[in-house]
């Protein structure tokens, strides 16, 4: 028999072993870190996981190639290439590819995804993806009779069932760590979770659920600016006790309050949805800008980011819309969101104005590219997309510079609002989630919130109010992102059956 000729079972087993050896070091690193390898039960669990992973993948590859060798090979090639990319991100950024991370990936635009490009990524694709794929394409798979296929399949399934029951004592451990195990098993991490993401997304977006009608209580001229931060963690704001002065401007502003707060999730889509909805729910209820727009509030949405729920308003302005009115090098950064902001408010024909500025200032991995050079107060900075190659101090320096730039942006928003003497005004700054900067060897964000470190969910919630405006309740309380919806409603003087006084920060 030619060395390029393999029986279907041999080929499937070989592909499964290659898949196991190349792409499951992170999986078993986690297992070894969380299992007592000195105990008999721990040894049984590890051996069982190895056998189940190899045999289960063998069965799937065997089934696919029996149905169609051509389709099976194409899917195997895609598996190796995608696996190589997935393992690169797992090894480089310590991520877990669960359903929420799939949503993060799908909602990433070209500008963000291109920032992850590196020579190391290309090497992963070539060595772990393309080289095994070349062999996969070249090998000739020999036919197998249907009877042999059925016998092999039956025996394999029976073995897997027996292994499951033999590990009944470990079911609780597996269930406890199922999200992490599922997020590190290739190719099931991204294939199963992608399917789950689209199924759940379809169910959520079948129809937006309208909230009950509201009533405008007064015609007083009022403006609210909600600034949605990106990857800003409160730990690095001097307003929250950070040793570095990352808030040199805001620290001097009167009527400014900072609250302890936590995010609903550790990725953009979950965080932004939570900021804009009236309560935590998996359903797609009418979000704040849509609700206010429907009740005759002048709503303006400006963004250099993405990942928000569907926004149904007339004045939706992304970076491309704002570029034509912005001049200078700073238009390449989030300052573009402030272009003619005061003028747009003054042109409004309505007494109630609500503005959302959705920033991208602190999003990694290239923090050093998120601010103009004049804000580079802390040096040296990390300039690599492979954050593990930088010292933690270089990484923190670059990130802290983004917080200084955020401080500058928020200060300018306040300056604009202070000039609007005919309006009662407020600015709320709330981040979508936090960020890991190498603590416990974790980077960026997206870890499931049930196991995420505090750096990924402890966020700033900063509020400024104009003179003679509404006062705030005590800021010695911890807030959630849902406080935004009800606080904005109260400040604008809008009464609704879904309003919750307990989630209002104003008195």
């Amino acid at each position: 028999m030619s060395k390029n000729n393999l029986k279907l079972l041999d080929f499937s087993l070989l592909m499964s072993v290659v898949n196991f050896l190349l792409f499951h070091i992170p999986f078993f690193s986690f297992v070894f870190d969380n299992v007592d390898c000195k105990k008999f039960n721990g040894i049984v669990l590890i051996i069982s996981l190895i056998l189940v992973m190899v045999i289960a993948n063998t069965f799937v590859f065997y089934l696919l190639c029996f149905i169609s060798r051509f389709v099976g090979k194409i899917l195997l090639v895609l598996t190796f290439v995608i696996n190589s990319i997935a393992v690169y991100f797992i090894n480089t950024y310590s991520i877990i590819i669960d359903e929420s991370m799939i949503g993060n990936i799908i909602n990433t635009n070209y500008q963000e995804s291109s920032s992850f490009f590196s020579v190391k990524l290309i090497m992963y694709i070539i060595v772990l993806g393309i080289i095994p794929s070349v062999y996969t394409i070249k090998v000739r798979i020999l036919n197998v009779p249907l009877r042999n296929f059925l016998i092999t399949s039956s025996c394999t399934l029976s073995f897997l069932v027996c292994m499951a029951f033999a590990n009944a004592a470990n079911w609780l451990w597996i269930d406890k760590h199922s999200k992490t195990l599922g997020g590190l098993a290739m190719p099931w991490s991204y294939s199963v979770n992608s399917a789950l993401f689209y199924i759940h997304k379809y169910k959520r977006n079948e129809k937006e659920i309208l909230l009950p009608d509201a009533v405008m209580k007064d015609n007083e001229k009022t403006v609210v600016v909600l600034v949605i931060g990106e990857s800003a963690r409160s730990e690095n704001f001097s307003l929250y006790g950070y040793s570095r002065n990352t808030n040199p401007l805001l620290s001097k502003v009167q009527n400014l309050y900072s609250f302890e707060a936590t995010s609903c999730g550790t990725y953009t889509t979950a965080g932004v949805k939570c900021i804009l909805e009236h309560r935590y729910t998996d359903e797609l209820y009418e979000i704040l800008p849509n609700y206010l727009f429907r009740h005759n509030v002048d709503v303006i949405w400006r963004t250099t980011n993405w990942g928000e729920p569907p926004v149904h308003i007339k004045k939706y302005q992304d970076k491309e819309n704002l570029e034509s009115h912005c001049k200078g090098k700073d238009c390449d950064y989030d300052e573009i969101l402030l272009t003619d902001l005061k003028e747009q408010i003054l042109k409004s024909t309505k007494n109630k104005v609500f503005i959302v500025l959705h920033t991208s200032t602190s999003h990694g991995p290239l923090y050093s590219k998120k601010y103009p050079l004049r804000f580079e107060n802390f040096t040296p900075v990390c300039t690599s997309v492979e954050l593990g190659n930088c010292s933690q101090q270089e990484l923190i320096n670059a990130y802290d510079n983004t917080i200084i730039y955020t401080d500058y942006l928020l200060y300018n928003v306040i300056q604009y609002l202070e000039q609007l003497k005919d309006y009662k005004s407020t600015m709320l700054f709330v981040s979508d989630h936090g960020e890991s900067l190498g603590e416990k060897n974790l980077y960026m964000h997206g870890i499931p919130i049930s196991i995420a470190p505090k750096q990924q969910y402890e966020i700033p919630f900063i509020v400024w109010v104009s003179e003679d405006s509404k006062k705030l309740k005590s800021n010695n309380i911890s807030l959630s992102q849902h406080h935004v919806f009800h606080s904005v409603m109260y400040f604008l003087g809008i009464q609704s059956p879904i309003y919750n006084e307990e989630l209002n920060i104003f008195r």
Side-chain angles (χ1 to χ4, degrees):
M1 184 185 296
S2 170
K3 63 181 180 179
N4 284 332
N5 293 345
L6 284 178
K7 294 179 180 178
L8 177 56
L9 181 58
D10 294 340
F11 172 78
S12 302
L13 180 59
L14 176 62
M15 292 296 100
S16 181
V17 170
V18 170
N19 178 70
F20 173 80
L21 294 175
L22 294 183
F23 306 114
H24 287 89
I25 292 177
F27 181 96
F28 282 98
S29 294
F30 174 82
V31 172
F32 279 105
D33 288 342
N34 290 275
V35 169
D36 188 349
C37 302
K38 296 179 181 179
K39 291 185 177 180
F40 177 75
N41 192 54
I43 296 172
V44 169
L45 175 61
I46 292 170
I47 294 173
S48 298
L49 287 172
I50 293 172
L51 290 174
V52 167
M53 184 165 290
V54 171
I55 293 173
N57 282 335
T58 298
F59 173 70
V60 173
F61 299 159
Y62 184 69
L63 178 63
L64 290 173
C65 291
F66 178 80
I67 294 171
S68 170
R69 284 155 181 69
F70 176 77
V71 173
K73 284 188 174 185
I74 294 298
L75 290 176
L76 278 168
V77 169
L78 287 174
T79 294
F80 285 129
V81 172
I82 298 174
N83 280 2
S84 66
I85 297 172
V87 169
Y88 166 80
F89 281 96
I90 290 170
N91 288 339
T92 305
Y93 300 108
S94 300
I95 67 169
I96 296 172
I97 307 180
D98 62 353
E99 186 179 346
S100 62
M101 183 57 68
I102 292 296
N104 227 12
I105 294 168
I106 291 171
N107 284 292
T108 297
N109 66 8
Y110 172 77
Q111 182 181 359
E112 182 185 346
S113 60
S114 61
S115 69
F116 289 99
F117 177 82
S118 69
V119 174
K120 184 178 175 183
L121 172 58
I122 298 302
M123 292 305 297
Y124 264 74
I125 295 173
I126 293 173
V127 175
L128 301 182
I130 294 177
I131 292 176
S133 296
V134 171
Y135 175 78
T136 301
I137 294 170
K138 284 186 174 182
V139 71
R140 179 172 176 267
I141 303 172
L142 301 179
N143 292 328
V144 59
L146 177 60
R147 180 174 177 275
N148 290 3
F149 169 78
L150 294 175
I151 293 173
T152 301
S153 299
S154 300
C155 291
T156 303
L157 290 174
S158 299
F159 176 82
L160 292 174
V161 171
C162 290
M163 288 296 294
F165 281 101
N167 279 275
N170 294 313
W171 285 356
L172 289 177
W173 184 92
I174 293 171
D175 181 67
K176 178 182 177 181
H177 300 287
S178 59
K179 183 166 286 190
T180 303
L181 295 172
L184 296 175
M186 301 295 155
W188 310 109
S189 58
Y190 55 84
S191 56
V192 172
N193 284 312
S194 292
L196 290 174
F197 172 81
Y198 280 108
I199 290 169
H200 294 156
K201 182 179 180 181
Y202 173 77
K203 288 181 178 178
R204 285 195 300 268
N205 294 339
E206 284 180 345
K207 186 176 182 181
E208 185 180 67
I209 303 171
L210 295 182
L211 298 175
D213 290 342
V215 176
M216 196 86 70
K217 292 192 295 185
D218 61 66
N219 288 317
E220 192 172 29
K221 299 188 79 171
T222 311
V223 57
V224 176
V225 178
L226 168 62
V227 184
I228 300 177
E230 170 61 66
S231 305
R233 68 186 204 183
S234 55
E235 186 174 306
N236 289 59
F237 281 67
S238 53
L239 289 175
Y240 288 85
Y242 188 44
S243 58
R244 284 178 160 181
N245 187 15
T246 52
N247 301 124
L249 298 174
L250 291 180
S251 60
K252 300 174 183 178
V253 172
Q254 300 295 314
N255 302 323
L256 189 85
Y257 305 84
S258 55
F259 294 85
E260 301 289 338
T262 55
S263 61
C264 297
T266 60
Y267 55 100
T268 298
T269 50
V272 175
K273 178 178 181 289
C274 203
I275 291 170
L276 300 177
E277 64 186 2
H278 71 291
R279 65 178 178 86
Y280 184 78
T281 173
D282 288 332
E283 302 292 338
L284 183 63
Y285 278 90
E286 193 173 19
I287 57 174
L288 183 60
N290 299 348
Y291 192 45
L292 296 178
F293 177 74
R294 185 161 66 87
H295 288 89
N296 206 34
V297 175
D298 190 2
V299 180
I300 302 164
W301 184 289
R302 293 182 165 197
T303 181
T304 57
N305 211 324
W306 48 89
E308 69 273 0
V311 179
H312 306 306
I313 62 172
K314 288 184 178 179
K315 297 178 181 177
Y316 183 96
Q317 301 166 336
D318 58 18
K319 191 173 182 179
E320 291 182 0
N321 300 134
L322 296 169
E323 279 176 339
S324 59
H325 300 284
C326 188
K327 297 178 181 179
K329 293 183 179 179
D330 289 349
C331 297
D332 293 332
Y333 305 95
D334 274 347
E335 195 169 346
I336 194 173
L337 297 173
L338 308 185
T339 304
D340 297 333
L341 181 63
K342 184 181 70 174
E343 290 74 12
Q344 189 163 17
I345 296 171
L346 292 173
K347 287 180 182 177
S348 177
T349 59
K350 299 178 181 179
N351 289 334
K352 306 292 183 179
V353 181
F354 176 60
I355 299 169
V356 179
L357 305 179
H358 189 191
T359 69
S360 61
T361 310
S362 296
H363 199 293
L366 290 175
Y367 305 107
S368 61
K369 300 296 184 183
K370 291 294 187 174
Y371 53 84
L373 191 59
R374 68 180 187 276
F375 291 93
E376 195 160 274
N377 291 23
F378 303 113
T379 57
V381 298
C382 176
T383 58
S384 172
V385 299
E386 297 172 25
L387 303 183
N389 291 343
C390 298
S391 70
Q392 189 176 30
Q393 193 55 57
E394 289 173 333
L395 188 59
I396 291 172
N397 286 344
Y399 182 82
D400 284 351
N401 291 332
T402 70
I403 304 303
I404 293 175
Y405 185 50
T406 298
D407 178 80
Y408 167 80
L409 295 173
L410 298 181
Y411 178 79
N412 275 274
V413 171
I414 294 170
Q415 292 295 298
Y416 292 156
L417 293 177
E418 283 184 330
Q419 296 171 36
L420 303 174
K421 301 300 182 182
D422 295 334
Y423 285 85
K424 287 189 174 181
S425 56
T426 186
M427 180 207 72
L428 293 82
F429 171 74
V430 187
S431 186
D432 57 356
H433 52 76
E435 191 86 336
S436 285
L437 299 173
E439 300 89 1
K440 299 179 181 178
N441 203 35
L442 295 174
Y443 298 95
M444 297 184 63
H445 53 269
I447 298 293
I449 197 163
S450 59
I451 60 172
K454 65 179 184 178
Q455 288 84 2
Q456 292 196 24
Y457 60 78
E458 290 187 351
I459 58 171
F461 196 123
I462 299 170
V463 182
W464 172 86
V465 288
S466 58
E467 292 288 347
D468 301 322
S469 188
K470 292 178 172 63
K471 304 301 181 183
L472 277 79
K473 299 175 182 176
S474 170
N475 64 338
N476 295 321
I477 56 175
S478 181
L479 305 184
S480 72
Q481 290 171 321
H482 289 120
H483 279 77
V484 172
F485 187 103
H486 302 276
S487 300
V488 171
M489 292 277 290
Y490 181 83
F491 196 90
L492 289 172
I494 299 175
Q495 193 171 28
S496 168
I498 50 90
Y499 170 74
N500 186 345
E501 173 60 27
E502 292 182 359
L503 297 178
N504 167 39
I505 62 174
F506 299 104
R507 60 178 172 86

